[in-house]
Amino acid sequence: MKTFIADIIPRIQKFSQKLDDLTKLTNQHWISLGDITDEKRVFIFRDNNQLLISVNGIVEKSTWDYIGNQSILIETKSENYLMRHGFLDEDIFALKLDSKEQYAFFVNETRYKKELNNIQDILNFLENKYLKKADFNKYRDI
């Protein structure tokens, strides 16, 4: 799983929803942005803890488990990952590899209406959705 260092996640954390509300996570098609230029990788977290990972339409069945403390264990055929909550809302999902400041970014394909091709696109989206909106509201009341 490719990850990215992102300074923006701590700045927008106040807009994030808790990971323990799994309804935002499950049964959605989450596109991995780390691989978007080379291949389309889709993660589907199912209610039964099955994780479907589709790479250009070829599906691998894996498992995932919410283990509390805003953490997810992802088990694939080749590796296991302990991931921490980075950010979650209905459009964006970011997981942080435990003990690293690297994030795996996902966009909810069913909710996003525009094509995203690289990490800069997602950072621009997050800044526009959260930071510029917050700055506007701060100055609107003056």
Side-chain angles (χ1 to χ4, degrees), residues 12-24:
I12 64 171
Q13 191 60 251
K14 64 184 173 186
F15 300 105
S16 180
Q17 297 168 5
K18 298 283 185 199
L19 186 57
D20 56 3
D21 178 12
L22 298 176
T23 58
K24 296 274 189 267

Side-chain angles (χ1 to χ4, degrees), residues 30-86:
W30 294 99
I31 306 300
S32 172
L33 293 179
D35 306 311
I36 197 74
T37 57
D38 300 323
E39 60 193 10
K40 183 173 183 179
R41 189 175 294 252
V42 181
F43 288 70
I44 304 169
F45 297 83
R46 299 179 78 190
D47 286 332
N48 63 357
N49 292 82
Q50 185 179 59
L51 174 61
L52 303 178
I53 303 172
S54 170
V55 180
N56 295 330
I58 308 299
V59 177
E60 175 187 331
K61 291 183 179 180
S62 300
T63 62
W64 73 279
D65 191 18
Y66 177 71
I67 58 175
N69 197 28
Q70 300 296 305
S71 299
I72 291 179
L73 177 64
I74 295 177
E75 297 181 36
T76 67
K77 289 179 183 174
S78 58
E79 296 183 279
N80 297 326
Y81 302 93
L82 178 59
M83 306 297 288
R84 298 258 184 201
H85 172 266

Side-chain angles (χ1 to χ4, degrees), residues 107-121:
V107 174
N108 189 336
E109 183 177 51
T110 57
R111 293 191 45 89
Y112 202 76
K113 308 291 189 236
K114 182 180 170 187
E115 188 173 326
L116 295 173
N117 295 319
N118 58 53
I119 197 62
Q120 190 58 49
D121 289 344

